[in-house]
Amino acid sequence: MNNNELTAIIKLLDDPDKTVFKIIENKLMGEGCSVVPKLEQEWMNPERNELFRTRVEDIIHKIQKDDLISNLSNWKDDDNNLLKGAWIVSKYGFPDISFNALSDVFESISYTSYFSLDKNYSPLEQIKILNYLIFNKLKFNPCSNRDFLNPNNSFISHTFEHREGNIVSLAIVYILFANRWNIPIYGINLPKNFIVAYVSQINNKVLFYINPFNRGAILNEKEIDFFLKQQNINSQSQFYNPCSNSITIQRLLYSLKNSYIHNKMANKVEDINSMLKVFKKGLSEKIEWE
């Protein structure tokens, strides 16, 4: 569709005939994200009425949501890149951010604290250095209790910018920097929490656990047992073993969903549910993930 055709079609969005509007909406939806800049431009036209603006807003939202679901579906089939998965979730709150821009931010932050680990450092020594870099030098912090249910805390772009995150986003930051510096850290899918583990490169066994939301505090298996008992949750192997990036991103989406539930944003909760449906073998709804 050329620019003149697009302009002509968009002008019909204020047609009171719902049948006409549905035809126009379907045409625009079929064009995908390429029409969003033009729709935004026309939305700003002072001559447009309220009906026109409302319809434009709705179409842009639908196009962007469909694009997110498509990106997430493509990503889950090859979930090696955790940063990319977190970026897709971030685009729900910040649609204009590109992956290259986010990746550049991450590289810039990690470059300022680049270091090379001595091969003789023990795992605990490595984590001590990693904690210093993330929490002292780079100044990443857990979000405050007052701000805990702010949806922005689930967006990695916001976490990078403000150096503050919730349980899941901060764990993702921890994993990303650990992997950037060749430290074998993996996510642990713990209900009502999300922690990480140091995994031996010799036998692939968990050596110990780490809580990024508590500034990198070291935990052992007995402390995980105690936590689950406190929460009246039956122990399962998945709560002790490394999880996939796909599971990590699902937990990030659950965190975002919980924020929207708390803030009574029903439409956004519905959007996140649509994104979670992408994961056909998703997390069990019987378990309270947040």
Side-chain angles (χ1 to χ4, degrees), residues 111-167:
Y111 178 78
T112 61
S113 293
Y114 179 78
F115 75 104
S116 180
L117 282 177
D118 189 300
K119 64 180 181 180
N120 294 319
Y121 285 160
S122 70
L124 286 173
E125 287 172 330
Q126 291 178 28
I127 295 308
K128 184 177 180 180
I129 294 171
L130 182 62
N131 286 343
Y132 171 78
L133 289 169
I134 293 176
F135 301 113
N136 293 88
K137 188 167 185 179
L138 295 176
K139 300 189 184 302
F140 279 92
N141 285 295
C143 59
S144 65
N145 290 334
R146 183 182 61 183
D147 202 42
F148 187 80
L149 289 167
N150 183 338
N152 284 340
N153 289 320
S154 292
F155 301 131
I156 199 70
S157 54
H158 181 272
T159 299
F160 281 162
E161 181 179 356
H162 296 277
R163 308 292 171 95
E164 189 174 85
N166 60 24
I167 289 169

Side-chain angles (χ1 to χ4, degrees), residues 239-256:
F239 303 154
Y240 299 86
N241 297 319
C243 65
S244 66
N245 288 341
S246 176
I247 294 295
T248 301
I249 294 305
Q250 287 180 66
R251 283 299 305 273
L252 187 63
L253 286 168
Y254 270 104
S255 178
L256 182 57

Side-chain angles (χ1 to χ4, degrees), residues 175-191:
I175 295 167
L176 290 172
F177 280 111
N179 293 343
R180 179 69 172 79
W181 295 319
N182 298 315
I183 303 175
I185 296 295
Y186 299 88
I188 298 292
N189 186 32
L190 195 61

Side-chain angles (χ1 to χ4, degrees), residues 51-63:
L51 176 63
F52 179 91
R53 287 196 174 89
T54 299
R55 285 177 169 178
V56 165
E57 289 169 3
D58 187 51
I59 290 171
I60 289 175
H61 177 74
K62 287 179 179 178
I63 288 174

Side-chain angles (χ1 to χ4, degrees), residues 265-287:
M265 298 177 172
N267 290 340
K268 292 185 178 295
V269 172
E270 186 177 336
D271 287 344
I272 303 305
N273 282 335
S274 296
M275 295 171 73
L276 283 165
K277 287 178 182 177
V278 165
F279 303 93
K280 294 179 181 179
K281 294 183 179 179
L283 301 178
S284 172
E285 292 288 351
K286 294 179 181 179
I287 299 173

